[in-house]
Amino acid sequence: MIRRPRRLRATKAIRNLVRETKLQKEDLIYPLFIVDGENIKREIPSMEGVYHFSVDMLEDEIKELVELGIEHVLLFGVPDDNKKDCCGSEAYNDNGALQQGIRKIKEVAPEMDVICDVCMCEYTSHGHCGILTEGGYVDNDKTLEYLSKIAVSYAKAGADMVAPSDMMDGRIGALRNALDENGYETVAIMAYSAKYASAFYGPFRDAANSAPAFGDRKTYQMDPANSDEAMVEADLDIEEGADIIMVKPALSYLDIIRRFKDNYDLPIAAYNVSGEYSMLKQAVKQGLLSEDAIYEAVMSIKRAGATIIITYFAKDLAKVIDMKK
């Protein structure tokens, strides 16, 4: 027997030496939900260990992230219902909760990389990701005007990067132009390039209070059956100036992550979404899986080709990564 692969599995030190894929804390982005009000740190019922924070309660959370070595956060604003309207105007309120949150984070941890999700579903009274026509269809080009205002407002507050998740045609070009025209050439864009109309978003809609009041989002989010279409979306986003392209969700779309990795030289992000998080959390809690399953699942996203992983497990993983060193 000439070759024995088990020789390179014989000890932990050897396994570490030849490990092909390594998950690092620098790869991780931690999502945060910022709400109106004061003195609020409220656990989201469908997402154990994930919280709503009012701006005044962010400091301890950010200090914990810094201590854990997590360098990136992705912010979502969750306004009170009485601040929602048909055009999501609270999203581009320069003194809105999310904008205040950006400033607070930069005050507490100036080096923290602050990324802001750009969408309208959390801010509109109808729960859709854009401006509606009289017939209830999302008006693509009208929506671009509002998304641009939102992105500029976040940049003005100090965001380092914006991440449009709306899936409107032409959104990357529109945001790039708006940011550049307002003097924010250094603010990067992470495009939700392949965002699928997935059933795995359920807990997030609880967290963001963003379920559509009618219909669904299948006229703008992608069909889960499609793979080639993801390449079309990525091509367009890159042409329009995206700095990072993303696949969302992650675990059910590892094949799309791999296609992106094989075809593009941009950083590839993947969003380990709320449904994926809650399923694993519950399986571990009920004793069906060990906690090692979390690390294994997120490692599969990295192995598929993602260079950046957005995950609610970021704090848990940071602790595990330290233990594995």
Side-chain angles (χ1 to χ4, degrees), residues 247-255 257 270-273 276 301 309:
V247 177
K248 180 182 180 181
L251 290 175
S252 293
Y253 297 86
L254 297 176
D255 59 318
I257 297 171
Y271 200 140
N272 181 206
V273 299
E276 297 167 344
I301 300 169
I309 301 170

Side-chain angles (χ1 to χ4, degrees), residues 162-214:
V162 293
S165 61
D166 54 283
M167 288 302 286
M168 297 298 115
D169 295 337
R171 70 205 187 286
I172 304 304
L175 266 61
R176 186 71 272 159
N177 289 337
L179 290 166
D180 291 353
E181 288 171 2
N182 285 274
Y184 300 111
E185 296 91 348
T186 61
V187 173
I189 298 178
M190 178 166 63
Y192 286 68
S193 297
K195 181 179 179 180
Y196 286 87
S198 172
F200 287 96
Y201 302 150
F204 176 89
R205 290 175 181 171
D206 178 27
N209 190 22
S210 63
F214 63 90

Side-chain angles (χ1 to χ4, degrees), residues 213-272:
F214 63 90
D216 53 41
R217 297 180 176 137
K218 293 180 180 179
T219 65
Y220 40 102
Q221 294 178 359
M222 284 181 54
D223 185 336
N226 292 357
S227 174
D228 291 344
E229 185 184 16
M231 309 303 288
V232 174
E233 291 282 4
D235 286 341
L236 289 169
D237 287 350
I238 292 167
E239 288 173 13
E240 293 172 23
D243 300 288
I244 299 169
I245 53 177
M246 187 202 298
V247 177
K248 180 182 180 181
L251 290 175
S252 293
Y253 297 86
L254 297 176
D255 59 318
I256 309 301
I257 297 171
R258 186 72 249 173
R259 288 194 71 179
F260 276 23
K261 181 66 174 177
D262 289 342
N263 284 277
Y264 304 114
D265 58 5
L266 269 69
I268 310 298
Y271 200 140
N272 181 206

